């Protein structure tokens, strides 16, 4: 052990034990950075409380306090004010209790305090802060052995802290070290602290001990060593080098996010599995590089589910399968209170093809505008494929009206022959039966997966880009409010159902034109978030009962996934598990990660790494909905200055 002191109670001379001190009557031990340590800087706990206040009551806070750091600075100012006010009483030190801080904090941060139920909110925040202290704290690795090397008639904890001794004891119980103590005092209970020396005098009075019968152990060079020494108390500064260095680093990581991010990235790369195959190593390494984009998106989902108080959360195939894994990595590493407020995600096997026909009110030109607004030029064959209607039957209907089945039609809704096709009573009757059947199967499938019309607040996660699958399902379930959490959203081209809300972690062109260039090569993001499970075409009744989803796989697309995408995703998931521990401990918000995430997205577009270019050149992208075919992706050109100028012009 590399302590900065000799063992207590022993007098050492020339390497020989010459005397053994008397066992002290009273031994007091500091708590923070002595018995317990945190996986973060202490103020990160306060920052997490600020984050939770915004998520729970943000709509009632003043505009200046919609940022967790601004709230933290306000809280620190209030703590200073309360400390100064306390010293006006000569019998008190500059101490305060957490509840008083939180009460003043909430009132000052509120746009209108009368809109908040202050007392229950303060109690909730107080409990949340205690639970987060429990979440980030751990027992010093050596303290048990160190305390066991000596003994005392009474061992008592002594802490300058704004939580009560009862709360501290509960924390010690949770960490299985309460048995080390016969009692304990907290400065907030008595309005006296170690810094002034008066808390030492109080504990001596309670336990009838004189200074020469009192030993104190703690980390702080002033309050745990200099002050008790001045009072003739035997004091030992407990400062194991490794843990002290970790505490110093945690301060730097809290005050400067770039230091934190670099430390996390370094840990991710050092701990990543090292494949002997260069292609796999490159893919995993790039996944680690790109991970903050998807981790920020997952943190955005976690925050949104808490803010929106969802009943359930669903991830849409195909990209949602990957997003669900990143989300669960973050959720699994979160505190128990956060997991309680964030639903576990379920994957729904859906697609535009599988949900569009089912969502139609009728087979009409007007209803089909939801499709044609996206694909203004379309063949009747592509239309049939978008509806997942049998091609042979569709070709016969077209033949009846002398419509070309294969030829692309520009603005089909304006063409008289198309209008006559839709007005045909026989076709309408047949298609209505088809639509009704599709709707019944889809609703039954959703019910089996846990999504029913009784659900009031449902969250959905997908990649984007306009959220049309969310629209399709929302039209089928008008009494359910669907909140969509996307990576990015382009301008909506269709009227949005009244029971939908859509937000994006990345660019949202419906609210701002910022970062519109990120939509330049969407196939790259789609490829990197793909799944090997094929596209959902529809649903059928399974032989064993229930509804099964029907999938279509493309061999070339699947090969690109297994050769490249799967390894990139493995790198992301490896990084996510490491990032998650730091994100929750250091109270990193999705807003803070967004700048880094979007810069990585931009770099992917303007200079795709070699591993991504290789994967993209082998990709066949599913465009059955709308275009009615798979599209071979061209090779991406190597990066050049002229190419960069064209992209950002």
């Amino acid at each position: 052990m590399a302590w900065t002191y000799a063992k207590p109670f022993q007098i050492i001379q020339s390497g020989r034990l010459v005397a053994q001190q008397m066992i002290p009557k009273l031994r007091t031990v500091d708590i923070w950075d002595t018995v317990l340590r945190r996986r973060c800087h202490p103020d990160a706990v306060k920052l997490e409380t600020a984050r939770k206040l915004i998520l729970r009551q943000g709509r009632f806070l003043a505009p200046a306090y919609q940022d967790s750091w601004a709230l933290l600075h306000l809280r620190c100012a209030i703590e200073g004010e309360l400390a100064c006010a306390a010293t006006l009483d000569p019998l008190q030190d500059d101490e305060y209790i957490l509840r008083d801080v939180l009460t003043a904090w909430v009132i000052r941060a509120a746009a209108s305090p009368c809109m908040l139920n202050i007392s229950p909110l303060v109690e909730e925040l107080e409990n949340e802060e205690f639970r987060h202290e429990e979440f980030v704290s751990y027992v010093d690795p050596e303290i048990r052995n160190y305390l066991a090397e000596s003994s005392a008639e009474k061992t008592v904890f002594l802490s300058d802290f704004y939580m009560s001794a009862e709360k501290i004891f509960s924390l010690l119980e949770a960490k299985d070290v309460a048995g080390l103590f016969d009692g304990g005092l907290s400065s907030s209970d008595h309005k006296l602290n170690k810094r002034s020396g008066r808390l030492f005098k109080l504990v001596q009075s309670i336990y009838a001990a004189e200074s020469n019968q009192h030993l104190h152990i703690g980390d702080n060079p002033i309050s745990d060593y200099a002050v008790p020494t001045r009072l003739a108390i035997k004091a030992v500064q407990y400062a194991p080098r490794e843990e002290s260095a970790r505490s110093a680093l945690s301060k730097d990581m809290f005050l400067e996010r770039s230091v934190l991010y670099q430390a996390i990235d370094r840990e991710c790369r050092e701990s990543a599995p090292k494949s002997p195959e260069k292609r796999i190593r490159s893919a995993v390494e790039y996944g680690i590089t790109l991970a903050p984009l998807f981790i920020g998106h997952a943190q955005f989902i976690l925050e949104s589910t808490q803010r929106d108080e969802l009943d359930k959360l669903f991830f849409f195939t195909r990209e949602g399968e990957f997003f669900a894994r990143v989300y669960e990595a973050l959720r699994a590493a979160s505190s128990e209170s956060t997991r309680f407020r964030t639903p576990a995600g379920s994957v729904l096997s859906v697609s535009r093809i599988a949900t569009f026909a089912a969502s139609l009110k009728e087979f009409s030109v007007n209803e089909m505008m939801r499709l044609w607004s996206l694909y203004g030029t379309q063949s009747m064959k592509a239309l049939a494929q978008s509806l997942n209607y049998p091609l042979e039957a569709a070709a016969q209907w077209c033949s009846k009206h002398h419509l070309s089945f294969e030829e692309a039609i520009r603005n089909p809704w304006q063409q008289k022959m198309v209008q006559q096709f839709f007005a045909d009573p026989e076709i309408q009757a047949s298609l209505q039966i088809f639509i009704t059947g599709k709707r019944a199967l889809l609703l039954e499938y959703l019910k089996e997966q846990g999504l029913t019309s009784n659900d009031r607040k449902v969250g959905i996660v997908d990649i984007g880009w306009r959220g049309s699958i969310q629209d399709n399902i929302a039209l089928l379930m008008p009494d359910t409010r669907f909140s969509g959490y996307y990576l990015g959203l382009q301008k909506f081209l269709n009227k949005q159902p009244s029971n939908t809300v859509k937000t994006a972690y990345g660019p949202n062109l419906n609210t701002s034109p910022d970062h519109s260039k990120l939509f330049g090569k969407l196939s790259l993001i789609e490829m990197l978030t793909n799944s090997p499970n094929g596209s959902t075409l529809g649903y059928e009744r399974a032989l064993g009962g229930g509804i099964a989803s029907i999938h279509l796989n493309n061999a070339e697309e699947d090969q690109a996934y297994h050769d490249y995408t799967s390894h990139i995703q493995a790198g992301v998931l490896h990084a996510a598990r490491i990032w998650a521990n730091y994100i929750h401990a250091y109270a990193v918000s999705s807003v803070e990660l967004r700048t880094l995430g979007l810069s990585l997205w931009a770099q992917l577009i303007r200079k795709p790494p070699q591993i991504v270019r290789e994967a993209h050149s082998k990709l066949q992208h599913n465009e059955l909905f709308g275009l009615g075919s798979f599209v071979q992706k061209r090779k991406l050109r190597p990066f050049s200055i002229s190419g960069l100028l064209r992209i950002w012009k």
Side-chain angles (χ1 to χ4, degrees):
M1 289 185 294
W3 309 124
T4 59
Y5 46 80
K7 294 179 181 179
F9 319 124
Q10 297 180 353
I11 300 174
I12 308 294
Q13 187 176 44
S14 300
R16 182 171 59 89
L17 179 65
V18 297
Q20 180 79 30
Q21 289 184 347
M22 295 292 292
I23 293 175
K25 187 173 185 178
L26 176 64
R27 177 173 63 173
T28 54
V29 185
D30 176 49
I31 291 299
W32 292 111
D33 289 330
T34 302
V35 177
L36 296 180
R37 297 186 179 272
R38 297 181 179 93
R39 294 186 287 116
C40 59
H41 187 270
D43 281 350
V45 176
K46 301 177 183 180
L47 184 63
E48 175 64 11
T49 305
R51 223 171 56 84
K52 286 176 178 172
L53 176 57
I54 292 172
L55 291 176
R56 311 278 169 79
Q57 302 292 336
R59 63 190 182 280
F60 299 121
L61 301 182
Y65 299 117
Q66 296 292 329
D67 174 77
S68 56
W69 285 93
L71 273 176
L72 174 62
H73 295 150
L74 174 63
R75 172 170 169 172
C76 291
I78 290 171
E79 289 175 347
E81 293 168 8
L82 292 177
C84 280
T87 60
L88 297 177
D89 185 339
L91 299 179
Q92 293 185 7
D93 292 333
D94 54 344
E95 292 295 318
Y96 46 81
I97 63 174
L98 179 58
R99 182 158 296 197
D100 289 346
V101 173
L102 296 178
T103 299
W105 190 43
V106 168
I107 291 173
R108 293 261 288 273
S112 177
C114 63
M115 298 176 68
L116 289 170
N117 198 347
I118 302 293
S119 183
L121 176 58
V122 166
E123 183 176 1
E124 179 186 2
L125 291 174
E126 187 176 20
N127 291 334
E128 287 283 351
E129 184 152 320
F130 174 78
R131 282 194 286 265
H132 198 66
E133 288 282 16
E134 183 179 346
F135 173 66
V136 299
S137 62
Y138 63 96
V139 177
D140 180 273
E142 300 295 339
I143 192 63
R144 284 189 178 93
N145 291 336
Y146 180 74
L147 293 179
E149 290 175 352
S150 60
S151 61
E153 292 183 21
K154 293 288 183 181
T155 297
V156 176
F157 67 76
L158 206 62
S159 180
D160 286 350
F161 197 45
Y162 49 71
M163 287 187 186
S164 68
E166 182 182 7
K167 284 286 189 183
I168 294 173
F169 192 76
S170 296
L171 194 56
L172 294 171
E173 282 187 315
K175 302 300 177 181
D176 197 29
V177 286
L180 297 175
F181 302 100
D182 299 301
L185 279 72
S186 173
S187 61
S188 62
D189 288 331
H190 304 280
K191 303 298 189 293
L192 303 173
N193 58 43
K194 292 182 291 183
R195 292 189 306 277
S196 71
R198 293 200 282 187
L199 192 60
F200 289 110
K201 292 294 186 182
L202 177 62
V203 74
Q204 287 177 355
S205 173
I206 292 173
Y207 289 94
E210 301 295 330
S211 290
N212 62 1
Q213 301 171 310
H214 184 179
L215 169 72
H216 181 70
I217 302 168
D219 74 292
N220 191 284
I222 305 301
S223 59
D224 291 315
Y225 185 78
V227 173
T229 299
R230 189 180 70 237
L231 297 173
I233 298 169
K234 173 65 176 178
V236 177
Q237 187 182 356
Y238 183 78
R241 282 196 284 267
E242 186 175 338
E243 288 297 331
S244 297
R246 185 176 288 114
S247 295
L249 178 60
S250 73
K251 181 179 180 180
D252 294 338
M253 291 164 67
F254 176 72
L255 295 176
E256 183 55 62
R257 289 305 201 207
S258 63
V259 176
L260 174 64
Y261 298 163
Q262 289 167 12
I264 300 171
D265 184 73
R266 185 164 54 249
E267 184 176 337
C268 290
R269 295 185 190 282
E270 290 174 353
S271 61
K274 303 296 188 292
S275 171
E277 190 172 344
K278 182 180 178 181
R279 173 177 53 84
I280 296 176
R281 284 200 311 275
S282 298
V284 170
E285 288 170 3
Y286 184 64
I288 293 172
T289 298
L290 195 59
L293 170 61
F294 302 117
I295 292 167
H297 180 222
Q299 181 70 348
F300 166 70
I301 300 165
L302 279 167
E303 293 169 352
S304 299
T305 58
Q306 294 176 70
R307 182 191 63 236
D308 297 340
E309 299 180 327
L310 298 180
D311 299 323
K312 295 174 182 176
L313 180 67
F314 295 94
F315 291 78
F316 287 175
T317 56
R318 305 172 70 178
E319 294 84 1
E321 297 172 59
F322 169 64
F323 294 145
R325 295 166 70 192
V326 181
Y327 170 83
E328 286 301 333
L330 263 65
R331 183 173 178 271
S334 65
S335 66
E336 185 178 344
S337 62
T338 299
R339 285 195 297 274
F340 173 74
R341 293 180 176 273
T342 53
S346 301
V347 174
L348 282 181
S349 186
V350 291
S351 68
R352 292 183 294 176
I353 283 181
T355 59
F356 179 63
S359 71
L360 296 174
K361 296 178 184 177
E362 59 189 9
F363 184 68
S364 66
V365 170
N366 185 56
E367 277 288 272
M368 215 55 59
M369 289 306 300
R370 288 169 41 212
L371 171 62
W372 287 334
S373 63
L374 305 175
Y375 300 93
T377 299
Q378 188 181 56
S379 69
M380 296 302 287
K381 179 181 180 180
L383 172 61
Q385 288 175 310
S386 300
L387 294 169
N388 199 18
Y389 189 78
L391 296 185
E392 185 177 346
Q396 291 177 356
W397 291 124
C398 287
S399 178
K400 175 183 177 182
H401 285 270
H402 307 291
L403 267 172
S404 170
F405 190 55
E406 302 279 352
E407 182 183 350
I409 304 172
R410 185 177 180 182
N411 299 338
W413 61 92
Q414 295 178 347
Q415 306 306 316
K416 186 174 181 179
M417 293 178 66
V418 174
Q419 294 171 354
Q420 291 173 344
F421 177 90
F422 275 82
D424 187 319
E426 187 178 4
I427 296 176
Q428 281 197 349
S430 176
L431 266 294
Q432 191 59 52
I433 293 172
F434 174 78
I435 290 169
T436 301
K438 291 288 186 184
R439 182 183 302 127
L441 283 172
L442 175 56
L443 287 173
E444 195 169 341
Y445 169 77
L446 296 176
K447 183 178 180 180
E448 287 184 1
Q449 301 303 312
L451 176 55
T452 73
S453 58
N454 293 326
D455 296 319
R456 290 293 168 260
K457 294 181 179 179
V458 172
I460 69 98
V461 178
D462 202 353
I463 192 168
W465 305 107
R466 292 187 172 90
S468 54
I469 303 175
Q470 178 183 347
D471 294 344
N472 296 342
I473 295 177
L475 289 170
L476 288 173
M477 304 175 68
D479 295 329
T480 300
R481 180 180 176 83
F482 290 92
S483 297
Y485 311 119
Y486 295 92
L487 193 63
L489 286 169
Q490 292 182 316
K491 278 275 191 181
F492 301 139
L493 299 179
N494 292 319
K495 181 181 178 181
Q496 298 295 286
S498 60
N499 59 327
T500 63
V501 176
K502 297 174 184 176
T503 53
Y505 174 62
N508 183 349
L509 302 189
N510 300 282
T511 58
S512 169
D514 294 346
H515 305 291
S516 60
K517 300 293 186 182
L518 295 182
F519 291 113
K521 295 177 183 176
L522 293 181
S523 61
L524 288 177
I525 293 290
E526 291 171 354
M527 177 188 72
L528 295 177
T529 56
N530 204 358
S531 148
N533 297 320
S535 300
T536 306
L537 292 180
Y539 311 94
E540 63 183 359
R541 299 196 180 279
L543 293 176
I547 305 298
S549 53
I550 305 169
H551 294 258
L552 174 66
N553 283 75
N554 176 273
E556 289 81 2
E557 186 181 35
D558 289 349
Q559 194 63 49
Y561 175 86
H562 290 296
D563 288 347
Y564 298 96
T565 301
S566 64
H567 303 298
I568 294 173
Q569 290 182 0
V572 173
L573 292 167
H574 167 75
R577 287 186 283 271
I578 295 172
W579 274 85
N581 293 321
Y582 289 94
I583 284 175
H584 297 307
Y586 282 84
V588 180
S589 70
S590 64
V591 172
E592 292 177 280
L593 286 168
R594 188 173 185 266
T595 300
L596 174 59
L598 296 191
S599 70
L600 291 168
W601 189 344
Q603 290 171 27
L604 171 65
I605 287 176
R606 67 174 179 258
K607 189 180 180 181
Q610 178 62 30
I611 194 72
V612 172
R613 294 202 300 271
E614 287 179 20
H616 194 265
S617 67
K618 299 177 184 299
L619 181 67
Q620 283 205 3
H621 195 64
N622 187 336
E623 294 287 356
L624 288 176
F625 185 86
L627 300 183
S629 63
F630 280 82
V631 177
Q632 177 68 49
K633 293 300 179 181
R634 62 178 174 83
K635 289 187 177 180
L636 295 169
R637 290 185 228 175
F639 169 72
S640 66
I641 294 296
S642 60
L644 176 62
L645 293 175
R646 283 197 300 273
I647 291 173
W648 294 100
K649 185 175 180 180

